[in-house]
Amino acid sequence: VVRSNKPTAADLANFDPTVGAAGCINNFRTKISEDLEKFKSDPTTFVTKINIDIGALQKTVPADEVEKVTMDVFKFTVYEQVEEVGMDKWIAAKEPSEFMDECVITVYKEGHCPPEILEDMNKGELPDEIKGQQKHLMEAQAKAMERKGKKHDEAMVKASLRSQDETRELNTNKRDRRTLEQIQMDMHGGEGEKRGRYD
């Protein structure tokens, strides 16, 4: 017998939003909403932090519903409440974390968000096409620098070899300017005016 994952009418009639995964999420939403309302009513506080600890939150959920309680669900809940309570004037930014099961979201009142946070948020996510172009451009620049470095290295090696060749074999590229008769005369120990090989 194959069972469908869709809830039946009986399941919907017996649904209790205060227990299980739904109860955990609803309780979290209520707590965050209350904390943000206190933050809103305090004129001296401009920044607050909201901690999300999945391990602690999942302890209240039955084992068969644990997979429904994820970090993304709670982050969405926080962002949703920040928008609702802050009337779209507050900024929520997730802080970097070392752990996958813990998260801190910082909420800033209007006009109190640091410029670097705004800059990071405004960068947004680039389309894959632009990412591909940027990656290709970076690779091309790296290859060009590598080629330039190799050419420079080769030129240096050639220059050093050239200078070594010139110092070891002096005058090897000079031409013998004697005539054929003069060379033969020199070979047979001929008499007459002796000339040097390079005269």
Side-chain angles (χ1 to χ4, degrees):
V1 175
V2 177
R3 290 185 156 222
S4 173
N5 288 338
K6 292 181 181 179
T8 63
D11 290 338
L12 292 175
N14 295 330
F15 177 72
D16 185 1
T18 60
V19 296
C24 177
I25 294 168
N26 285 333
N27 290 338
F28 180 76
R29 178 180 287 119
T30 304
K31 179 187 174 298
I32 296 303
S33 180
E34 290 170 359
D35 291 347
L36 290 174
E37 286 294 341
K38 287 178 190 172
F39 175 60
K40 181 179 182 180
S41 64
D42 186 356
T44 61
T45 307
F46 303 108
V47 178
T48 189
K49 294 184 185 243
I50 298 172
N51 296 313
I52 303 172
D53 183 2
I54 289 292
L57 291 166
Q58 285 179 340
K59 287 179 184 177
T60 63
V61 178
D64 61 330
E65 294 186 14
V66 168
E67 71 275 354
K68 296 177 184 175
V69 181
T70 64
M71 180 63 78
D72 290 335
V73 170
F74 290 113
K75 285 194 294 189
F76 175 79
T77 304
V78 171
Y79 290 129
E80 177 187 53
Q81 289 302 306
V82 167
E83 282 182 19
E84 190 176 307
V85 176
M87 297 179 285
D88 291 329
K89 294 182 180 179
W90 293 355
I91 295 175
K94 180 181 173 286
E95 292 184 0
S97 176
E98 297 176 14
F99 305 105
M100 297 294 291
D101 61 342
E102 293 178 5
C103 174
V104 176
I105 298 178
T106 307
V107 181
Y108 302 93
K109 285 186 179 175
E110 185 177 16
H112 295 281
C113 185
E116 56 272 3
I117 300 291
L118 286 174
E119 186 176 317
D120 286 345
M121 291 179 71
N122 288 335
K123 282 182 184 175
E125 191 65 32
L126 295 174
D128 290 338
E129 188 176 298
I130 294 175
K131 283 183 186 176
Q133 288 174 350
Q134 288 180 341
K135 182 179 177 185
H136 178 70
L137 182 63
M138 294 292 283
E139 288 174 356
Q141 288 175 345
K143 286 180 183 178
M145 291 297 287
E146 188 177 320
R147 275 188 254 124
K148 188 176 180 181
K150 283 183 180 179
K151 285 181 183 179
H152 179 70
D153 291 345
E154 288 175 5
M156 294 296 286
V157 169
K158 284 181 182 179
S160 67
L161 289 175
R162 200 176 314 121
S163 66
Q164 288 176 356
D165 290 345
E166 289 174 1
T167 56
R168 272 189 287 173
E169 302 174 20
L170 289 175
N171 299 328
T172 55
N173 295 332
K174 290 195 172 183
R175 188 173 169 195
D176 189 354
R177 297 185 182 272
R178 296 177 292 163
T179 63
L180 198 56
E181 292 85 21
Q182 290 171 335
I183 293 172
Q184 287 175 348
M185 201 181 293
D186 287 344
M187 286 175 57
H188 298 295
E191 300 184 11
E193 185 183 315
K194 286 249 184 186
R195 290 181 54 186
R197 183 173 170 191
Y198 301 106
D199 290 339

